[in-house]
Amino acid sequence: MREQIDAIKLKFNERLTALSTSEELEKLRVEVLGKKGEFTQILRSMGSLSAEERPLVGKLVNEAKEELEEKIRSVKESLKERATDTKLKNEVIDITLPGVKSPMGGKHPLMMTMEKIENIFLEMGFTIEEGPEVELDYYNFEALNIPKDHPARGEQDTFYIDDQVVLRTQTSPVQIRTIENQKPPIKMISPGKVYRSDDVDATHSPIFYQIEGLVIDKGITFADLKGTLDLFVKKMFGDDIITKFRPHHFPFTEPSAEMDGTCFVCHGEGCKVCKGEGFMELLGCGMVHPEVLKKGGIDPEVYSGFAFGFGLDRMTMQKFGIDDIRLLYESDMRFLKQFK
């Protein structure tokens, strides 16, 4: 038995010297010291020994196991240190090399324009109000003086959830909700996403952004409307812009108008951007219709107000000289990187 134990130790030491990985070390440990290992086989064969020999052989086996286990621990630690050294050598960082910059994102031109517009109106004392994009037909149409048989609905064909629920075609419903929940004086804008059943082309999209404004107080006149919007446009495009108002029709305002401004490219001389006219359409506006005030619970004999609205996409295109609305929604990085 002693010779057999010595033979196992000798073979173990030879293999221990030759191995180079932790996996090989673990395999050797199992083969020699495991539950089915060589020393276990010796202990199981002790039944053939005399009562006097068994304690002696058991002692020799335990001493040999302790000796080999200590060698395994030592070699295991050595292999671990060697692996760490190899990893450090392979992961050496040359701190003199220039660093690699992480790509930085930038604001979308739509958001840049929206933030500037919001800041302009905040400076003028307006609040910013929000409302649901999935809206009731009542707030989107009827409360704005557009009943179910009104021809203006054809101009604002939208996506219907059912007969009473639609995707909003404008942010005007936020104005109605504000009228219902706040008492005059009211001075607010409502930016947000709107939906219309339009075919996609260079100037139309079924999804776009709109900003609308509302002012209601005692003694509000068309002069207040003109002064407010003229100041806004000058802050937006520059002090040299000239504005003009053209009569128009909107169901929820009376009188109504569209406001034009001198082309920001040619400054009124005429170019391809403004189609030679020297002016560009900027927004629609008008005095709030008395029926709209009544439906909001406001007495039109006491209060008056004005409203306005414009497409943020068109304003962005005018500001940055973009000629195709699709560029704002296609997420083409070649286009968007220009605005970082």
Side-chain angles (χ1 to χ4, degrees), residues 1-10 38-50 52-65:
M1 286 287 186
R2 183 187 293 275
E3 292 177 355
Q4 189 176 353
I5 291 172
D6 289 340
I8 293 173
K9 290 169 60 178
L10 180 61
E38 297 178 14
F39 280 126
T40 301
Q41 298 302 323
I42 291 176
L43 293 173
R44 288 178 179 176
S45 64
M46 288 173 57
S48 60
L49 302 176
S50 64
E52 293 80 9
E53 292 176 321
R54 289 174 190 167
L56 296 175
V57 173
K59 182 180 179 182
L60 290 173
V61 169
N62 289 333
E63 289 177 349
K65 289 178 67 176

mmCIF file of all heavy atoms in Angstrom, residues 1-10 38-50 52-65:
data_model
loop_
_atom_site.group_PDB
_atom_site.id
_atom_site.type_symbol
_atom_site.label_atom_id
_atom_site.label_comp_id
_atom_site.label_asym_id
_atom_site.label_seq_id
_atom_site.Cartn_x
_atom_site.Cartn_y
_atom_site.Cartn_z
ATOM 1 N N MET A 1 0.823 -1.200 0.000
ATOM 2 C CA MET A 1 0.000 0.000 0.000
ATOM 3 C C MET A 1 0.869 1.267 0.000
ATOM 4 O O MET A 1 0.565 2.252 -0.682
ATOM 5 C CB MET A 1 -0.915 0.028 1.235
ATOM 6 C CG MET A 1 -2.083 -0.938 1.149
ATOM 7 S SD MET A 1 -3.328 -0.353 -0.015
ATOM 8 C CE MET A 1 -4.611 -1.555 0.253
ATOM 9 N N ARG A 2 1.980 1.249 0.768
ATOM 10 C CA ARG A 2 2.871 2.391 0.807
ATOM 11 C C ARG A 2 3.446 2.670 -0.581
ATOM 12 O O ARG A 2 3.518 3.835 -1.015
ATOM 13 C CB ARG A 2 3.996 2.144 1.812
ATOM 14 C CG ARG A 2 4.941 3.351 1.965
ATOM 15 C CD ARG A 2 6.117 2.973 2.848
ATOM 16 N NE ARG A 2 5.688 2.722 4.196
ATOM 17 C CZ ARG A 2 5.530 3.675 5.135
ATOM 18 N NH1 ARG A 2 5.747 4.938 4.802
ATOM 19 N NH2 ARG A 2 5.165 3.366 6.337
ATOM 20 N N GLU A 3 3.836 1.577 -1.294
ATOM 21 C CA GLU A 3 4.405 1.755 -2.636
ATOM 22 C C GLU A 3 3.357 2.327 -3.594
ATOM 23 O O GLU A 3 3.655 3.167 -4.454
ATOM 24 C CB GLU A 3 4.922 0.409 -3.151
ATOM 25 C CG GLU A 3 6.122 -0.110 -2.382
ATOM 26 C CD GLU A 3 6.558 -1.485 -2.868
ATOM 27 O OE1 GLU A 3 5.843 -2.045 -3.745
ATOM 28 O OE2 GLU A 3 7.565 -1.982 -2.386
ATOM 29 N N GLN A 4 2.125 1.894 -3.428
ATOM 30 C CA GLN A 4 1.041 2.395 -4.288
ATOM 31 C C GLN A 4 0.796 3.878 -4.032
ATOM 32 O O GLN A 4 0.594 4.665 -4.977
ATOM 33 C CB GLN A 4 -0.238 1.588 -4.016
ATOM 34 C CG GLN A 4 -1.354 1.865 -4.999
ATOM 35 C CD GLN A 4 -2.575 0.972 -4.751
ATOM 36 O OE1 GLN A 4 -2.512 0.049 -3.909
ATOM 37 N NE2 GLN A 4 -3.647 1.222 -5.476
ATOM 38 N N ILE A 5 0.823 4.279 -2.734
ATOM 39 C CA ILE A 5 0.620 5.688 -2.386
ATOM 40 C C ILE A 5 1.765 6.534 -2.942
ATOM 41 O O ILE A 5 1.554 7.622 -3.502
ATOM 42 C CB ILE A 5 0.524 5.837 -0.856
ATOM 43 C CG1 ILE A 5 -0.780 5.203 -0.345
ATOM 44 C CG2 ILE A 5 0.569 7.323 -0.467
ATOM 45 C CD1 ILE A 5 -0.882 5.119 1.164
ATOM 46 N N ASP A 6 3.015 6.019 -2.803
ATOM 47 C CA ASP A 6 4.163 6.767 -3.328
ATOM 48 C C ASP A 6 4.077 6.916 -4.847
ATOM 49 O O ASP A 6 4.453 7.972 -5.397
ATOM 50 C CB ASP A 6 5.461 6.056 -2.937
ATOM 51 C CG ASP A 6 5.753 6.168 -1.442
ATOM 52 O OD1 ASP A 6 5.180 7.079 -0.813
ATOM 53 O OD2 ASP A 6 6.535 5.347 -0.919
ATOM 54 N N ALA A 7 3.576 5.902 -5.520
ATOM 55 C CA ALA A 7 3.450 5.948 -6.977
ATOM 56 C C ALA A 7 2.420 7.003 -7.398
ATOM 57 O O ALA A 7 2.615 7.744 -8.371
ATOM 58 C CB ALA A 7 3.043 4.574 -7.508
ATOM 59 N N ILE A 8 1.334 7.068 -6.632
ATOM 60 C CA ILE A 8 0.320 8.081 -6.937
ATOM 61 C C ILE A 8 0.896 9.473 -6.762
ATOM 62 O O ILE A 8 0.682 10.372 -7.585
ATOM 63 C CB ILE A 8 -0.915 7.882 -6.035
ATOM 64 C CG1 ILE A 8 -1.643 6.574 -6.378
ATOM 65 C CG2 ILE A 8 -1.888 9.075 -6.170
ATOM 66 C CD1 ILE A 8 -2.766 6.227 -5.418
ATOM 67 N N LYS A 9 1.660 9.707 -5.681
ATOM 68 C CA LYS A 9 2.261 11.006 -5.410
ATOM 69 C C LYS A 9 3.252 11.399 -6.497
ATOM 70 O O LYS A 9 3.302 12.549 -6.943
ATOM 71 C CB LYS A 9 2.955 10.991 -4.045
ATOM 72 C CG LYS A 9 1.970 10.922 -2.879
ATOM 73 C CD LYS A 9 2.660 10.637 -1.550
ATOM 74 C CE LYS A 9 3.665 11.697 -1.185
ATOM 75 N NZ LYS A 9 4.295 11.442 0.136
ATOM 76 N N LEU A 10 4.071 10.424 -6.936
ATOM 77 C CA LEU A 10 5.058 10.686 -7.971
ATOM 78 C C LEU A 10 4.395 11.091 -9.287
ATOM 79 O O LEU A 10 4.784 12.082 -9.921
ATOM 80 C CB LEU A 10 5.934 9.449 -8.172
ATOM 81 C CG LEU A 10 7.018 9.565 -9.240
ATOM 82 C CD1 LEU A 10 7.996 10.680 -8.867
ATOM 83 C CD2 LEU A 10 7.754 8.223 -9.414
ATOM 84 N N GLU A 38 -8.102 8.226 -7.014
ATOM 85 C CA GLU A 38 -7.192 7.111 -6.735
ATOM 86 C C GLU A 38 -7.061 6.845 -5.241
ATOM 87 O O GLU A 38 -6.994 5.677 -4.808
ATOM 88 C CB GLU A 38 -5.825 7.394 -7.355
ATOM 89 C CG GLU A 38 -5.886 7.487 -8.882
ATOM 90 C CD GLU A 38 -4.541 7.814 -9.488
ATOM 91 O OE1 GLU A 38 -3.524 7.698 -8.768
ATOM 92 O OE2 GLU A 38 -4.509 8.211 -10.666
ATOM 93 N N PHE A 39 -7.008 7.866 -4.409
ATOM 94 C CA PHE A 39 -6.914 7.644 -2.965
ATOM 95 C C PHE A 39 -8.186 7.036 -2.409
ATOM 96 O O PHE A 39 -8.158 6.218 -1.481
ATOM 97 C CB PHE A 39 -6.607 8.970 -2.252
ATOM 98 C CG PHE A 39 -5.167 9.366 -2.306
ATOM 99 C CD1 PHE A 39 -4.781 10.608 -2.774
ATOM 100 C CD2 PHE A 39 -4.159 8.496 -1.883
ATOM 101 C CE1 PHE A 39 -3.453 10.980 -2.821
ATOM 102 C CE2 PHE A 39 -2.825 8.857 -1.934
ATOM 103 C CZ PHE A 39 -2.456 10.104 -2.404
ATOM 104 N N THR A 40 -9.324 7.417 -2.964
ATOM 105 C CA THR A 40 -10.591 6.816 -2.525
ATOM 106 C C THR A 40 -10.599 5.323 -2.834
ATOM 107 O O THR A 40 -11.117 4.513 -2.028
ATOM 108 C CB THR A 40 -11.774 7.513 -3.216
ATOM 109 O OG1 THR A 40 -11.751 8.909 -2.903
ATOM 110 C CG2 THR A 40 -13.096 6.939 -2.761
ATOM 111 N N GLN A 41 -10.029 4.928 -3.963
ATOM 112 C CA GLN A 41 -9.971 3.506 -4.328
ATOM 113 C C GLN A 41 -9.114 2.731 -3.329
ATOM 114 O O GLN A 41 -9.427 1.582 -2.974
ATOM 115 C CB GLN A 41 -9.403 3.369 -5.739
ATOM 116 C CG GLN A 41 -10.242 4.033 -6.830
ATOM 117 C CD GLN A 41 -11.670 3.494 -6.894
ATOM 118 O OE1 GLN A 41 -11.897 2.286 -6.687
ATOM 119 N NE2 GLN A 41 -12.632 4.387 -7.152
ATOM 120 N N ILE A 42 -8.048 3.371 -2.860
ATOM 121 C CA ILE A 42 -7.182 2.692 -1.863
ATOM 122 C C ILE A 42 -7.941 2.487 -0.553
ATOM 123 O O ILE A 42 -7.911 1.408 0.047
ATOM 124 C CB ILE A 42 -5.902 3.517 -1.624
ATOM 125 C CG1 ILE A 42 -5.024 3.492 -2.871
ATOM 126 C CG2 ILE A 42 -5.132 2.984 -0.409
ATOM 127 C CD1 ILE A 42 -3.788 4.342 -2.771
ATOM 128 N N LEU A 43 -8.655 3.555 -0.131
ATOM 129 C CA LEU A 43 -9.405 3.443 1.114
ATOM 130 C C LEU A 43 -10.485 2.375 1.031
ATOM 131 O O LEU A 43 -10.769 1.681 2.021
ATOM 132 C CB LEU A 43 -10.029 4.803 1.468
ATOM 133 C CG LEU A 43 -9.055 5.933 1.832
ATOM 134 C CD1 LEU A 43 -9.797 7.251 1.998
ATOM 135 C CD2 LEU A 43 -8.294 5.599 3.112
ATOM 136 N N ARG A 44 -11.105 2.234 -0.146
ATOM 137 C CA ARG A 44 -12.142 1.211 -0.296
ATOM 138 C C ARG A 44 -11.575 -0.213 -0.289
ATOM 139 O O ARG A 44 -12.307 -1.174 -0.023
ATOM 140 C CB ARG A 44 -12.909 1.467 -1.590
ATOM 141 C CG ARG A 44 -13.823 2.691 -1.503
ATOM 142 C CD ARG A 44 -14.515 2.938 -2.811
ATOM 143 N NE ARG A 44 -15.418 4.101 -2.733
ATOM 144 C CZ ARG A 44 -16.083 4.586 -3.754
ATOM 145 N NH1 ARG A 44 -15.947 4.031 -4.963
ATOM 146 N NH2 ARG A 44 -16.865 5.638 -3.586
ATOM 147 N N SER A 45 -10.322 -0.336 -0.633
ATOM 148 C CA SER A 45 -9.705 -1.687 -0.669
ATOM 149 C C SER A 45 -9.096 -2.086 0.660
ATOM 150 O O SER A 45 -8.462 -3.137 0.770
ATOM 151 C CB SER A 45 -8.624 -1.714 -1.755
ATOM 152 O OG SER A 45 -7.558 -0.818 -1.442
ATOM 153 N N MET A 46 -9.252 -1.251 1.688
ATOM 154 C CA MET A 46 -8.658 -1.546 2.999
ATOM 155 C C MET A 46 -9.355 -2.691 3.713
ATOM 156 O O MET A 46 -8.877 -3.193 4.735
ATOM 157 C CB MET A 46 -8.699 -0.296 3.880
ATOM 158 C CG MET A 46 -7.715 0.780 3.455
ATOM 159 S SD MET A 46 -7.884 2.329 4.369
ATOM 160 C CE MET A 46 -7.675 1.765 6.066
ATOM 161 N N GLY A 47 -10.488 -3.132 3.180
ATOM 162 C CA GLY A 47 -11.188 -4.259 3.803
ATOM 163 C C GLY A 47 -10.376 -5.546 3.787
ATOM 164 O O GLY A 47 -10.599 -6.450 4.605
ATOM 165 N N SER A 48 -9.415 -5.636 2.888
ATOM 166 C CA SER A 48 -8.587 -6.855 2.798
ATOM 167 C C SER A 48 -7.409 -6.829 3.763
ATOM 168 O O SER A 48 -6.664 -7.815 3.875
ATOM 169 C CB SER A 48 -8.065 -7.004 1.360
ATOM 170 O OG SER A 48 -7.281 -5.888 1.002
ATOM 171 N N LEU A 49 -7.202 -5.710 4.459
ATOM 172 C CA LEU A 49 -6.082 -5.578 5.391
ATOM 173 C C LEU A 49 -6.480 -6.056 6.786
ATOM 174 O O LEU A 49 -7.665 -6.117 7.135
ATOM 175 C CB LEU A 49 -5.616 -4.119 5.452
ATOM 176 C CG LEU A 49 -5.162 -3.475 4.142
ATOM 177 C CD1 LEU A 49 -4.828 -2.008 4.356
ATOM 178 C CD2 LEU A 49 -3.957 -4.219 3.582
ATOM 179 N N SER A 50 -5.476 -6.309 7.565
ATOM 180 C CA SER A 50 -5.717 -6.729 8.955
ATOM 181 C C SER A 50 -6.100 -5.518 9.781
ATOM 182 O O SER A 50 -5.889 -4.372 9.360
ATOM 183 C CB SER A 50 -4.462 -7.376 9.540
ATOM 184 O OG SER A 50 -3.405 -6.420 9.603
ATOM 185 N N GLU A 52 -4.672 -4.368 12.343
ATOM 186 C CA GLU A 52 -3.505 -3.592 12.721
ATOM 187 C C GLU A 52 -3.029 -2.697 11.561
ATOM 188 O O GLU A 52 -2.505 -1.587 11.768
ATOM 189 C CB GLU A 52 -2.355 -4.497 13.174
ATOM 190 C CG GLU A 52 -2.620 -5.260 14.470
ATOM 191 C CD GLU A 52 -3.487 -6.496 14.223
ATOM 192 O OE1 GLU A 52 -3.726 -6.843 13.034
ATOM 193 O OE2 GLU A 52 -3.966 -7.087 15.223
ATOM 194 N N GLU A 53 -3.197 -3.161 10.313
ATOM 195 C CA GLU A 53 -2.679 -2.419 9.158
ATOM 196 C C GLU A 53 -3.591 -1.259 8.741
ATOM 197 O O GLU A 53 -3.115 -0.258 8.179
ATOM 198 C CB GLU A 53 -2.515 -3.369 7.967
ATOM 199 C CG GLU A 53 -1.420 -4.405 8.175
ATOM 200 C CD GLU A 53 -1.343 -5.384 7.028
ATOM 201 O OE1 GLU A 53 -2.427 -5.767 6.513
ATOM 202 O OE2 GLU A 53 -0.220 -5.754 6.638
ATOM 203 N N ARG A 54 -4.866 -1.391 8.988
ATOM 204 C CA ARG A 54 -5.801 -0.379 8.503
ATOM 205 C C ARG A 54 -5.501 1.026 9.028
ATOM 206 O O ARG A 54 -5.464 1.984 8.249
ATOM 207 C CB ARG A 54 -7.232 -0.774 8.870
ATOM 208 C CG ARG A 54 -7.751 -1.956 8.087
ATOM 209 C CD ARG A 54 -9.111 -2.370 8.604
ATOM 210 N NE ARG A 54 -9.509 -3.638 8.010
ATOM 211 C CZ ARG A 54 -10.515 -4.374 8.450
ATOM 212 N NH1 ARG A 54 -11.218 -3.932 9.493
ATOM 213 N NH2 ARG A 54 -10.815 -5.514 7.871
ATOM 214 N N PRO A 55 -5.282 1.232 10.345
ATOM 215 C CA PRO A 55 -4.978 2.575 10.826
ATOM 216 C C PRO A 55 -3.721 3.157 10.205
ATOM 217 O O PRO A 55 -3.669 4.358 9.911
ATOM 218 C CB PRO A 55 -4.799 2.386 12.336
ATOM 219 C CG PRO A 55 -5.548 1.147 12.660
ATOM 220 C CD PRO A 55 -5.384 0.253 11.464
ATOM 221 N N LEU A 56 -2.721 2.318 9.983
ATOM 222 C CA LEU A 56 -1.471 2.784 9.406
ATOM 223 C C LEU A 56 -1.673 3.264 7.967
ATOM 224 O O LEU A 56 -1.188 4.329 7.562
ATOM 225 C CB LEU A 56 -0.424 1.679 9.449
ATOM 226 C CG LEU A 56 -0.001 1.215 10.859
ATOM 227 C CD1 LEU A 56 0.955 0.015 10.758
ATOM 228 C CD2 LEU A 56 0.661 2.360 11.609
ATOM 229 N N VAL A 57 -2.405 2.457 7.199
ATOM 230 C CA VAL A 57 -2.665 2.835 5.806
ATOM 231 C C VAL A 57 -3.545 4.087 5.731
ATOM 232 O O VAL A 57 -3.312 4.993 4.919
ATOM 233 C CB VAL A 57 -3.313 1.658 5.046
ATOM 234 C CG1 VAL A 57 -3.746 2.100 3.650
ATOM 235 C CG2 VAL A 57 -2.364 0.480 4.956
ATOM 236 N N GLY A 58 -4.552 4.188 6.591
ATOM 237 C CA GLY A 58 -5.424 5.362 6.615
ATOM 238 C C GLY A 58 -4.644 6.624 6.920
ATOM 239 O O GLY A 58 -4.875 7.680 6.312
ATOM 240 N N LYS A 59 -3.685 6.477 7.864
ATOM 241 C CA LYS A 59 -2.862 7.633 8.210
ATOM 242 C C LYS A 59 -2.001 8.067 7.030
ATOM 243 O O LYS A 59 -1.876 9.262 6.728
ATOM 244 C CB LYS A 59 -1.990 7.283 9.411
ATOM 245 C CG LYS A 59 -1.127 8.445 9.881
ATOM 246 C CD LYS A 59 -0.292 8.030 11.085
ATOM 247 C CE LYS A 59 0.594 9.195 11.541
ATOM 248 N NZ LYS A 59 1.480 8.838 12.689
ATOM 249 N N LEU A 60 -1.412 7.072 6.310
ATOM 250 C CA LEU A 60 -0.578 7.387 5.150
ATOM 251 C C LEU A 60 -1.383 8.087 4.044
ATOM 252 O O LEU A 60 -0.921 9.044 3.419
ATOM 253 C CB LEU A 60 0.048 6.103 4.603
ATOM 254 C CG LEU A 60 1.135 5.449 5.472
ATOM 255 C CD1 LEU A 60 1.552 4.095 4.883
ATOM 256 C CD2 LEU A 60 2.359 6.387 5.564
ATOM 257 N N VAL A 61 -2.610 7.608 3.836
ATOM 258 C CA VAL A 61 -3.458 8.199 2.798
ATOM 259 C C VAL A 61 -3.819 9.637 3.154
ATOM 260 O O VAL A 61 -3.741 10.553 2.322
ATOM 261 C CB VAL A 61 -4.740 7.356 2.597
ATOM 262 C CG1 VAL A 61 -5.733 8.099 1.717
ATOM 263 C CG2 VAL A 61 -4.387 6.005 1.984
ATOM 264 N N ASN A 62 -4.234 9.883 4.408
ATOM 265 C CA ASN A 62 -4.611 11.241 4.820
ATOM 266 C C ASN A 62 -3.431 12.197 4.747
ATOM 267 O O ASN A 62 -3.583 13.356 4.332
ATOM 268 C CB ASN A 62 -5.173 11.203 6.240
ATOM 269 C CG ASN A 62 -6.553 10.551 6.291
ATOM 270 O OD1 ASN A 62 -7.296 10.570 5.310
ATOM 271 N ND2 ASN A 62 -6.887 9.956 7.436
ATOM 272 N N GLU A 63 -2.241 11.729 5.150
ATOM 273 C CA GLU A 63 -1.051 12.582 5.079
ATOM 274 C C GLU A 63 -0.717 12.933 3.631
ATOM 275 O O GLU A 63 -0.363 14.076 3.313
ATOM 276 C CB GLU A 63 0.139 11.884 5.750
ATOM 277 C CG GLU A 63 0.017 11.806 7.267
ATOM 278 C CD GLU A 63 1.178 11.034 7.889
ATOM 279 O OE1 GLU A 63 1.949 10.390 7.123
ATOM 280 O OE2 GLU A 63 1.304 11.052 9.131
ATOM 281 N N ALA A 64 -0.833 11.912 2.755
ATOM 282 C CA ALA A 64 -0.556 12.144 1.332
ATOM 283 C C ALA A 64 -1.579 13.123 0.731
ATOM 284 O O ALA A 64 -1.227 14.031 -0.045
ATOM 285 C CB ALA A 64 -0.588 10.820 0.574
ATOM 286 N N LYS A 65 -2.852 12.975 1.111
ATOM 287 C CA LYS A 65 -3.890 13.877 0.590
ATOM 288 C C LYS A 65 -3.642 15.317 1.044
ATOM 289 O O LYS A 65 -3.772 16.259 0.253
ATOM 290 C CB LYS A 65 -5.269 13.404 1.056
ATOM 291 C CG LYS A 65 -5.737 12.122 0.393
ATOM 292 C CD LYS A 65 -7.087 11.653 0.914
ATOM 293 C CE LYS A 65 -8.206 12.611 0.532
ATOM 294 N NZ LYS A 65 -9.524 12.101 0.959
#
